[in-house]
DNA sequence: TTCTCCATGTAAGTAGTTACATGATTGG
DNA sequence: CCAATCATGTAACTACTTACATGGAGAA
């Protein structure tokens, strides 16, 4: 009977961190002190380009703590349980290494509105028109909301660009969407007018 | 021995379609005749705002065929197997219904570059600067590529906006990114200059 | 003959969402 | 006292990616 092949002890080296882990680590490094605060910080800052749900945060915190990148201790508030966190020196270092690494920075966009618009030719022109209008209105609402937030923001203090970065990108993107919809609507209306003319 | 509990035949009512299923259905409706062609069509058109891999397409085709929304038949090319497809009238109807439905149109963006930029304050100013520069260059390359495609496109024929929609959105988005990076770099450089001045 | 493209599928693993579960505190 | 918010976690499920697997056709 052959000897089983030699396998070195599979050296449980820390698995590489996911982007979500780096977000959790980064928010801790910026001063978020609990899973709950991390979630709020994400919601108020980077959710436009990287959203995470609380169901991802708690397992991520466990991984980071096991890897020694953050430190956590229980500090209940009254009888309500609470686990406070802080980043370790190793964690700071890992974060900085990630931020300066040369690895690829993939870009991903998923927008059902654009998918629908792409297939709008399958509809009657009237329906295609109202679809485009709905998409345009959605973007218009987003722009209005973001502009409102932007002006409230200017009224307050901090001119730090990292906080307004998401605002400005959101505005730029949705304004481009509005332009595209406008053009599409013009085309459809022109085609429709031509058809009505022919019918006379 | 107890009788097994009565269970009504679980009336295999068609599960709702995912957006990916609608993409596959839509591409078939636009004339893609095989899984392979669907994949190519996605790659050349909507991949900027809805990418799918071939591993998603084949199971999706099976679901759609089971639901009677497309029809498929084997038509090997020589000895190479090939399954051709066409959309059924029911499929056309389901697609139109989806396109005109009022359901929400969520928008999702995931960009590691922006995440990194958000955490750039954790770095030395020099490193923050080179990170911002790397992000700016990435977007600049994208803009250059997209503009090239756009001008090639203009040289050919079809002025259909659905095909240029992805181009124009991509350009608008990445130009906004460049502006944001420029501003961030200016800030960092100013802070750096100030620090050097103090050191004198 | 070798490379690229055509062509279809499955398996295993990772990532993410939604729902389930619980309960305390604070402010009106 | 009731609603909103604080606060943490798990389970089940869905979606998606990467790797595995196979092989023919056509062109250079």
């Amino acid at each position: 009977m052959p000897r089983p092949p030699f396998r070195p002890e599979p050296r449980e080296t820390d698995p590489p961190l996911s982007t979500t882990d780096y977000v959790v680590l980064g928010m801790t490094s910026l001063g978020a002190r609990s899973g709950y605060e991390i979630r709020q910080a994400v919601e108020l800052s980077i959710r436009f380009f990287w959203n995470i749900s609380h169901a991802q945060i708690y397992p991520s915190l466990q991984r980071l703590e096991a890897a020694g990148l953050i430190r956590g201790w229980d500090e209940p508030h009254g009888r309500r349980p609470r686990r406070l966190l802080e980043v370790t020196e190793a964690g700071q270092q890992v974060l900085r290494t990630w931020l300066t690494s040369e690895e690829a920075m993939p870009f991903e966009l998923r927008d059902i509105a654009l998918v629908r618009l792409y297939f709008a030719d399958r509809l009657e022109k009237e329906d295609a028109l109202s679809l485009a209008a709905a998409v345009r209105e959605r973007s218009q609402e987003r722009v209005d909301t973001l502009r409102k937030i932007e002006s409230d923001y200017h009224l307050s203090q901090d001119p730090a660009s990292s906080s307004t970065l998401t605002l400005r990108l959101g505005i730029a993107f949705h304004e481009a969407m509005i332009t595209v919809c406008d053009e599409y609507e013009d085309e459809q209306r022109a085609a429709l007018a031509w058809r009505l003319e022919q019918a006379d």
Side-chain angles (χ1 to χ4, degrees), chain A residues 91-126:
Chain A
Q92 298 280 17
Q93 194 45 57
V94 164
L95 182 61
R96 279 192 294 261
T97 303
W98 179 64
L99 290 174
T100 51
S101 74
E102 299 281 319
E103 65 183 84
M105 298 185 280
F107 174 92
E108 235 175 283
L109 177 59
R110 304 214 113 191
D111 188 3
I112 294 174
L114 287 168
V115 174
R116 287 203 199 189
L117 212 52
Y118 184 78
F119 292 121
D121 297 344
R122 301 285 88 193
L123 294 173
E124 298 298 317
K125 299 226 178 302
E126 288 86 346

Side-chain angles (χ1 to χ4, degrees), chain A residues 137-154:
Chain A
E137 277 155 28
R138 181 195 71 155
S139 283
Q140 188 61 61
E141 274 165 33
R142 294 265 214 288
V143 169
D144 292 344
T145 309
L146 293 175
R147 284 215 185 283
K148 176 84 170 55
I149 295 171
E150 197 188 26
S151 69
D152 288 356
Y153 195 85
H154 279 303

Side-chain angles (χ1 to χ4, degrees), chain A residues 6 11 18 23 54 58 62 65 80 107 133 136 156 173 176 182 186 197:
Chain A
F6 171 69
R11 184 69 188 93
S18 67
V23 168
H54 83 277
Y58 295 102
Q62 285 162 22
E65 208 177 334
R80 186 200 295 164
F107 174 92
R136 176 173 43 78
S156 67
F173 185 85
D182 280 342
D186 284 347
E197 213 170 280

